[in-house]
Amino acid sequence: MAIQSPSIDLGGTISVLLGRSGVSRGYWQSVGRRLRRDPVTLICAAILILLVAAALLAPWLGLADPYKTSMLRRLNPIGSPNNLLGTDELGRDMLARLIYGGRLSLFMGVTPVACALLIGGFLGIAAGFLGGRVNMAIMRTMDVFYAFPSVLLAISLSGAMGAGAENTLLALSLVFIPPICRVSESVTTQVRGFDFVDAAKASGASTLAIVRVHVLGNVLGPILVYATSLISVAIILAAGLSFLGLGVKPPEPEWGLMLNTLRQAIYVNPVLAALPGVMIFITSICFNLMSDGLRAAMDVKA
Amino acid sequence: MLLYALRRFVYLIPVAFGVSLLVFGLVHLAPGDPISAIVPPDAPKEVVDKLKEYYGFDQPLPVQYLRWLGVTLTGDLGTSIGTGRSVATEVATAFGNTIILAIAATTLAFSLAVVLGTAAAYAKSRLVDRLVTLISLVGVSVPHFWLAIVLVIIFAVELGALPPMGIGPENSTGWRLDRAHLAHMVLPTIALSVIPLGVVTRTVRSTIKETLSMEFVTALQAKGMSDIRILRHVLKNAAPTCLAVMGLQAGNLIGGSILIETVFAWPGTGFLLNSAIFRRDLPILQGTTLVLAFFFMMLNLTVDVIQTMVDPRIKRG
């Protein structure tokens, strides 16, 4: 669950792009073609789409009510007649809760990365492009956040702010801004040093046009690939916070929280108690493999 | 070299200042005021005011910060609101327990990772390479607190072979080097080592593969040097990159052990932090976070300096 900050070498991407203004359509077509020929990435994407679709369409799938408790049917084993995956410690249907759980678990993992991508990406590109004092101010501030191990930062922040989904989202976004900012800054600085930026400047392009076409066109790909590699970390971290009781509050179905409340059942029905973790594991593996596939297809060396 | 280390250290001072601001700010992120955690809601106003004055919460924020900073710099982290004991003592005891676990987990993870990663990079058969890649994928993808629960289910509940939680037998007061205490360490160590194992295996494999494709390896082979001796050259070249990742992982492991310590009720910093959060014991929360962040900074500095010592190609300062 540790965030790795890779040193991204743009050489590969740029050599593909050189001589064109920004990323041409041909480049994205070749990325798409390479992705379509990658069975692992395709399978992972299919699983993730299935998970998301099931979570979104859960009310129409004919599932049991994920909130309905039953004192008589507590901790029923897997394969019970009415409850395919058994029931939890309050007699709620596990299958329904696992599928509904995807809503919050996926949302809590993807949203912080998306927020951090917007904020961290903006700050990093600004720091890289403007350089000088702005760069100094932004990057030294990020260094302060880098002085904390990521999990510690997330837990201390959400611990201080108190439990709740909003606070978890806020804490996680703060955790992911510095790494995205650092990567954005380093790729932007690299791009700024390429000759085509000087050429554009010399031919009278406005700063806005240079940023939009030459800088954004070349840095967004690598930044995006890096951000996707953080999603799996974010999902595990969000589930971890809920597991500690710092995230989503009961009775909401959420995989981390379910793992927590089912811990009391490990002596009664151990397989059942481990199920929510399997969902987290599958999701995180798929996101990791997809990010690897995307990186290979886009030829970003990390 | 010494000059470089010194310069890096001086550079850490503004960062440490920022860290102290952030840790101080933690208390004020909290909803309500820090006193409300220890007094009942119907307490008379005079009592609340007295307590505020005692803890210094009645002062303006910048004054509170400077006061706190001054006291903290002398090594005094305040008193726990929950237990009334010194925060420094509580954190020190917990930190010792965390370090013991961390040393065991990093030793296991790093040695296994170097062997697996090197094997995968050298492997002629795709199967070995695939297997090692799979191990590192699982390592970086598995929710380690879930793995901890699964380990407890298998080895403690089903097989009854290992104790499910605690640092030692019931009347144990602290860690000792004996059979019972070591048995309590096995499961948490494994659970903690999966992430660094995954990450470091990945790094070792790709770095060694890259080094193997360098021209000097072919030159050494052409000279007729034995494979074992070539391996030594390869490892030496791959070491700096791997060391950097290992350092980061070791720090993250110590900061991130909170989930594992909670599952196993291991009385380390993570466990302390977790219970402090739920008792709303803000001085403990602050103290633990500060000590861990400080340790992380020092660790990163050390790794950075070691890296420059090992790798003459890096000329810094």
Side-chain angles (χ1 to χ4, degrees):
Chain A
M1 175 164 41
I3 301 173
Q4 300 172 63
S5 356
S7 53
I8 288 183
D9 174 14
L10 270 179
T13 327
I14 296 295
S15 64
V16 179
L17 307 173
L18 213 68
R20 300 180 192 135
S21 59
V23 178
S24 70
R25 189 175 294 153
Y27 170 68
W28 287 109
Q29 273 172 353
S30 72
V31 168
R33 206 165 40 238
R34 264 178 272 179
L35 277 179
R36 279 198 296 278
R37 286 202 202 122
D38 182 357
V40 177
T41 309
L42 286 183
I43 292 170
C44 289
I47 295 175
L48 286 176
I49 290 172
L50 199 71
L51 276 174
V52 173
L56 288 177
L57 302 175
W60 296 280
L61 291 179
L63 296 163
D65 181 353
Y67 296 98
K68 192 166 174 281
T69 57
S70 158
M71 280 303 136
L72 290 174
R73 282 188 297 189
R74 282 184 299 175
L75 294 173
N76 274 0
I78 292 172
S80 307
N82 288 326
N83 312 98
L84 198 62
L85 288 179
T87 53
D88 73 356
E89 77 287 353
L90 294 174
R92 295 170 293 199
D93 183 57
M94 274 298 276
L95 179 66
R97 283 183 75 74
L98 286 175
I99 290 177
Y100 272 95
R103 291 181 159 199
L104 271 171
S105 298
L106 290 166
F107 177 76
M108 304 276 294
V110 176
T111 318
V113 176
C115 291
L117 181 65
L118 280 179
I119 301 169
F122 174 77
L123 288 175
I125 292 171
F129 190 74
L130 297 172
R133 287 218 181 116
V134 180
N135 182 304
M136 210 29 198
I138 294 177
M139 298 321 287
R140 291 302 83 85
T141 312
M142 293 302 148
D143 282 352
V144 171
F145 287 89
Y146 259 101
F148 296 88
S150 47
V151 186
L152 176 72
L153 188 61
I155 288 171
S156 294
L157 282 174
S158 58
M161 290 188 288
E166 302 85 5
N167 287 345
T168 305
L169 288 178
L170 200 64
L172 286 179
S173 303
L174 274 171
V175 166
F176 291 113
I177 289 173
I180 292 183
C181 181
R182 208 176 246 195
V183 167
S184 310
E185 191 257 357
S186 102
V187 287
T188 310
T189 309
Q190 276 184 55
V191 167
R192 204 176 61 135
F194 282 113
D195 287 341
F196 58 73
V197 175
D198 290 334
K201 230 179 259 170
S203 61
S206 68
T207 312
L208 195 72
I210 295 177
V211 171
R212 202 169 50 83
V213 178
H214 300 284
V215 176
L216 283 185
N218 286 313
V219 302
L220 278 188
I223 298 175
L224 212 64
V225 168
Y226 179 63
T228 57
S229 78
L230 294 177
I231 294 179
S232 108
V233 182
I235 284 181
I236 295 179
L237 209 49
L241 286 176
S242 292
F243 177 72
L244 288 177
L246 285 174
V248 179
K249 289 177 189 155
E252 292 311 317
E254 197 274 346
W255 298 333
L257 185 64
M258 288 166 74
L259 265 183
N260 180 13
T261 54
L262 280 167
R263 265 180 78 196
Q264 52 179 283
I266 57 171
Y267 288 95
V268 186
N269 197 335
V271 181
L272 195 77
L275 272 184
V278 177
M279 301 296 286
I280 307 174
F281 193 15
I282 292 174
T283 316
S284 124
I285 274 204
C286 286
F287 271 116
N288 267 332
L289 284 173
M290 247 183 50
S291 162
D292 286 354
L294 201 62
R295 169 171 297 150
M298 290 177 67
D299 197 24
V300 180
K301 290 176 193 159
Chain B
M1 179 53 57
L2 198 68
L3 197 72
Y4 172 69
L6 210 68
R7 204 191 305 205
R8 276 297 317 258
F9 187 76
V10 171
Y11 170 71
L12 272 186
I13 292 173
V15 178
F17 178 71
V19 167
S20 76
L21 261 178
L22 197 68
V23 171
F24 174 76
L26 277 180
V27 169
H28 300 278
L29 280 176
D33 63 69
I35 291 297
S36 59
I38 45 167
V39 289
D42 56 342
K45 202 175 171 306
E46 301 89 72
V47 178
V48 176
D49 286 344
K50 257 251 165 68
L51 275 168
K52 269 193 184 165
E53 208 185 307
Y54 176 72
Y55 283 105
F57 288 130
D58 56 338
Q59 303 283 331
L61 277 182
V63 176
Q64 281 191 41
Y65 170 70
L66 288 177
R67 234 193 219 177
W68 172 80
L69 190 66
V71 175
T72 305
L73 283 176
T74 65
D76 180 1
L77 297 175
T79 37
S80 156
I81 291 182
T83 62
R85 277 197 298 237
S86 145
V87 172
T89 327
E90 297 229 6
V91 175
T93 318
F95 191 67
N97 291 335
T98 296
I99 287 288
I100 290 166
L101 208 54
I103 291 175
T106 44
T107 311
L108 175 71
F110 293 169
S111 47
L112 212 59
V114 169
V115 173
L116 287 176
T118 314
Y122 265 92
K124 294 274 186 295
S125 81
R126 274 181 80 110
L127 189 72
V128 179
D129 191 30
R130 281 273 165 92
L131 199 71
V132 172
T133 313
L134 184 73
I135 291 175
S136 68
L137 174 70
V138 169
V140 294
S141 308
V142 72
H144 63 332
F145 52 100
W146 171 72
L147 182 76
I149 296 176
V150 172
L151 287 173
V152 168
I153 289 174
I154 296 174
F155 292 98
V157 177
E158 297 291 321
L159 299 176
L162 289 164
M165 55 171 58
I167 191 171
E170 249 164 68
N171 49 11
S172 165
T173 49
W175 192 80
R176 274 196 310 274
L177 187 68
D178 61 26
R179 225 187 126 87
H181 284 82
L182 284 179
H184 279 83
M185 275 179 76
V186 176
L187 296 182
T189 302
I190 296 174
L192 256 183
S193 65
V194 275
I195 299 173
L197 174 67
V199 176
V200 178
T201 305
R202 207 176 242 208
T203 313
V204 171
R205 177 182 166 274
S206 66
T207 318
I208 291 202
K209 233 178 180 161
E210 210 180 298
T211 315
L212 279 175
S213 67
M214 285 182 187
E215 281 174 351
F216 83 91
V217 176
T218 324
L220 291 180
Q221 277 166 344
K223 272 172 68 184
M225 190 185 264
S226 71
D227 283 349
I228 301 284
R229 288 186 60 193
I230 293 180
L231 177 67
R232 267 184 45 201
H233 285 273
V234 170
L235 285 179
K236 211 170 154 189
N237 271 278
T241 313
C242 298
L243 267 178
V245 176
M246 284 179 187
L248 201 64
Q249 285 304 309
N252 270 318
L253 181 139
I254 288 165
S257 67
I258 173 165
L259 287 155
I260 299 298
E261 287 181 9
T262 307
V263 172
F264 291 102
W266 183 273
T269 43
F271 192 64
L272 184 67
L273 196 63
N274 193 23
S275 54
I277 286 171
F278 288 99
R279 283 181 311 190
R280 296 224 59 76
D281 195 337
L282 292 165
I284 293 265
L285 173 73
Q286 244 179 353
T288 318
T289 311
L290 192 67
V291 168
L292 287 177
F294 190 71
F295 178 78
F296 192 55
M297 271 162 49
M298 286 300 133
L299 189 74
N300 285 342
L301 174 71
T302 316
V303 170
D304 209 57
V305 172
I306 291 178
Q307 213 188 341
T308 30
M309 276 162 66
V310 178
D311 193 351
R313 285 170 300 188
I314 307 175
K315 284 209 179 68
R316 286 168 176 162

